[in-house]
Amino acid sequence: MKSAIYIGRVRHRRHHPATHAFSYRMFQPLLDLDELDEVFQDRWLWSLERPNVASMQRRDFHGDPDLPLAQAVRDTVALRLGRRPGGPIRLLTHLRYFGVSFNPVSFYYGYLEDGHTLDWVLAEITNTPWRQRFSYVLPVSEARRRGDMLEWAFDKRFHVSPFLPMQRRYHWRLQAPGAQLRVHMAVAHGERREFDATLSMARHEIGATTLARCLARFPLMTTRVVTAIHWQALRLWLKGVPVHDHPDTAARLAARKQQR
């Protein structure tokens, strides 16, 4: 199967206006959307579209939940690229563990029909605490290559964290999933880098033993992610890092002032 389990570490670093850093170990499945029935077949603790210790449920992912996930992703990519992709799609994500679903970012890797040549990446971000989603489509044809890494630079268009304002620029580097998988996402204001996050993981074959070990080694994975986000937010607030309103909130407040 093309599906796999990736195990490694995520690291966050704040450089301005206060320094702050943390990292923790984690795992994520990489799921070929054409292999979902096979991946979850006869797994006691893992299931597709039904509650379990670990489950994948369509409503937790991109687009209209009434559409097949691959179709919804291709619809979005087609709007951005002006052509409809037809190759395999492989999703790096967190599933729902003990009923809790949360993904700061899910990566959809889209391939050409040969199944080997990466064509595009769709990164779907969920913000905290609003639980809104937004997707960036990154064509490989527009990337700068640095060895086996692909690099894109573009303006921020979605409010993610209360501790980062909107007027920023992203510098992202991604590697096509292989024996190793790396993602580096930096946020800059002019020439000054304010924040970066790095994901570095190694591939493991997906199977009953690996899946069981992941649940034993990383219990309550998504609960841990949500808890870590709020704990680190408290630490940033205690360090005096400014809090920025959601643009929608700021617009509503401005409208109210004009009405007075």
Side-chain angles (χ1 to χ4, degrees), residues 47 54-55 63 86 100 120 182 198 255:
S47 60
S55 66
V100 177
W120 50 266
R182 290 177 291 164
T198 303

Side-chain angles (χ1 to χ4, degrees), residues 102-123:
F102 185 71
N103 268 295
V105 57
S106 294
F107 293 100
Y108 296 81
Y109 296 88
Y111 291 80
L112 296 179
E113 283 74 5
D114 62 12
H116 299 285
T117 306
L118 188 65
D119 185 26
W120 50 266
V121 179
L122 185 150

Side-chain angles (χ1 to χ4, degrees), residues 26 28-31 33 56 60-62 69 73 89-96 101-109 120-127 132-138 172 174 181 183 185 199 222:
M26 60 181 286
Q28 287 185 296
L30 178 80
L31 300 172
L33 298 188
M56 181 173 184
D60 295 333
F61 298 99
H62 182 78
L69 180 55
V73 172
I89 300 172
R90 293 163 196 153
L91 167 61
L92 182 74
T93 193
H94 288 300
L95 301 184
R96 181 177 286 263
S101 172
F102 185 71
N103 268 295
V105 57
S106 294
F107 293 100
Y108 296 81
Y109 296 88
W120 50 266
V121 179
L122 185 150
E124 182 168 67
I125 297 173
T126 303
N127 59 13
Q132 298 167 318
R133 295 180 192 165
F134 185 86
S135 297
Y136 294 98
V137 177
L138 308 175
W172 288 8
L174 289 85
L181 187 152
V183 176
M185 309 168 77
L199 182 64
T222 44

Side-chain angles (χ1 to χ4, degrees), residues 114-250:
D114 62 12
H116 299 285
T117 306
L118 188 65
D119 185 26
W120 50 266
V121 179
L122 185 150
E124 182 168 67
I125 297 173
T126 303
N127 59 13
T128 308
W130 304 279
R131 299 293 184 103
Q132 298 167 318
R133 295 180 192 165
F134 185 86
S135 297
Y136 294 98
V137 177
L138 308 175
V140 170
S141 61
E142 296 180 8
R144 172 188 289 184
R145 293 186 178 271
R146 293 180 179 269
D148 62 351
M149 301 290 284
L150 299 166
E151 184 177 276
W152 294 265
F154 53 95
D155 290 337
K156 180 182 177 183
R157 303 199 303 274
F158 179 61
H159 189 65
V160 181
S161 165
F163 297 97
L164 280 171
M166 282 294 295
Q167 293 73 31
R168 295 297 183 265
R169 190 158 177 83
Y170 283 146
H171 298 270
W172 288 8
R173 294 199 303 270
L174 289 85
Q175 176 189 42
Q180 304 293 321
L181 187 152
R182 290 177 291 164
V183 176
H184 183 76
M185 309 168 77
V187 182
H189 185 209
E191 297 299 319
R192 183 179 65 200
R193 178 171 296 190
E194 295 184 341
F195 169 84
D196 63 64
T198 303
L199 182 64
S200 180
M201 298 194 289
R203 179 187 175 98
H204 298 261
E205 292 301 315
I206 199 164
T209 300
T210 303
L211 292 173
R213 285 177 177 172
C214 285
L215 290 182
R217 187 176 180 184
F218 304 97
L220 301 172
M221 185 76 249
T222 44
T223 301
R224 183 183 177 190
V225 170
V226 173
T227 302
I229 288 172
H230 288 86
W231 168 241
Q232 300 301 332
L234 175 61
R235 294 179 64 194
L236 288 173
W237 181 75
L238 292 173
K239 289 183 176 184
V241 177
V243 175
H244 302 272
D245 286 335
H246 192 292
D248 293 344
T249 303

